[in-house]
Amino acid sequence: MGVEQSGPDHRLRDVAEAMRGVIELLEVYWTGAPDASSSVTVSAPQLRVMYVLERREGINLRQLGAELGAAASSVSRLCDRLEAIGFVRRSSSTASRREVELRLTAQGRAHLDRLRARREERLAAVLAQVTPASRARLVEAVEAIRAALSAVRAEPEPSAPGHEERPAAPGREHPPDGRGEHPPDGGAQRRRTG
């Protein structure tokens, strides 16, 4: 799927550049204030793992690696760190003894809840400086972008040459995020985790 070059909106690249700039500013703004309620620091790649585990309870390392576009060894190291701080739990799969299922712990979920609350509070302080009319337009635009990102995430990924497409295990499809959260990486593109 390429970027639209013609049609009613010739400025898609300008919009994409502006959004990228906002996303980068938000990343810096959100990470700039330490979380006083937690002595644990979670890296951006570790957060991506936690977001996926929240959505796909019981996912295995292979599926998690595919979801993140990362090597299983890199994902395993990220999960090792998250398990060491008590945010992730590994358990044997009920379907196969050779498989390990990954789940967020209550402590991991609580960390995500605190992080989201802190981010929303900081973002609300910024949005208070924007006019109500601009905020209303922003909500409409953000909802449209969220719907487009959800549609892109639902599209099957093309297989690499020489590799067969493997269907997801029953009950492990990529459901839309029931909490209405945006994709952890903004859905922009798959990045390597490491």
Side-chain angles (χ1 to χ4, degrees):
M1 174 187 283
V3 175
E4 181 183 331
Q5 296 295 323
S6 61
D9 187 353
H10 300 283
R11 297 181 37 158
L12 284 177
R13 287 191 185 272
D14 293 341
V15 174
E17 182 180 344
M19 282 190 58
R20 178 199 40 81
V22 169
I23 290 166
E24 289 172 0
L25 283 171
L26 282 173
E27 287 173 347
V28 171
Y29 184 65
W30 279 336
T31 57
D35 183 0
S37 65
S38 175
S39 60
V40 177
T41 302
V42 177
S43 68
Q46 289 169 332
L47 265 179
R48 291 180 66 212
V49 167
M50 292 177 71
Y51 289 138
V52 173
L53 295 184
E54 181 183 47
R55 258 190 4 263
R56 297 193 57 201
E57 178 106 359
I59 193 172
N60 64 36
L61 279 173
R62 182 187 54 77
Q63 293 166 328
L64 179 58
E67 178 99 2
L68 295 172
S73 58
S74 297
V75 172
S76 183
R77 284 191 299 274
L78 289 169
C79 290
D80 288 344
R81 293 181 204 131
L82 289 167
E83 188 175 30
I85 59 176
F87 286 1
V88 168
R89 179 175 41 89
R90 297 176 200 235
S91 59
S92 297
S93 169
T94 54
S96 167
R97 291 181 193 162
R98 295 185 308 173
E99 298 262 338
V100 173
E101 295 179 344
L102 302 163
R103 288 181 172 76
L104 284 181
T105 63
Q107 186 179 352
R109 290 181 189 282
H111 181 81
L112 285 182
D113 289 344
R114 284 191 308 271
L115 178 72
R116 286 181 173 129
R118 192 174 100 242
R119 286 180 169 186
E120 288 170 13
E121 184 178 305
R122 295 196 78 208
L123 190 52
V126 171
L127 292 173
Q129 300 174 43
V130 177
T131 66
S134 293
R135 285 197 301 265
R137 288 192 305 274
L138 180 60
V139 167
E140 185 177 322
V142 167
E143 289 303 326
I145 293 165
R146 183 182 298 179
L149 286 170
S150 294
V152 168
R153 287 184 56 116
E155 291 176 6
E157 291 288 326
S159 302
H163 290 87
E164 288 185 28
E165 190 77 21
R166 290 186 185 165
R172 300 285 187 241
E173 292 80 17
H174 297 265
D177 188 349
R179 293 182 56 156
E181 293 296 330
H182 59 78
D185 65 354
Q189 70 181 40
R190 290 182 182 264
R191 289 175 257 165
R192 292 287 172 206
T193 306

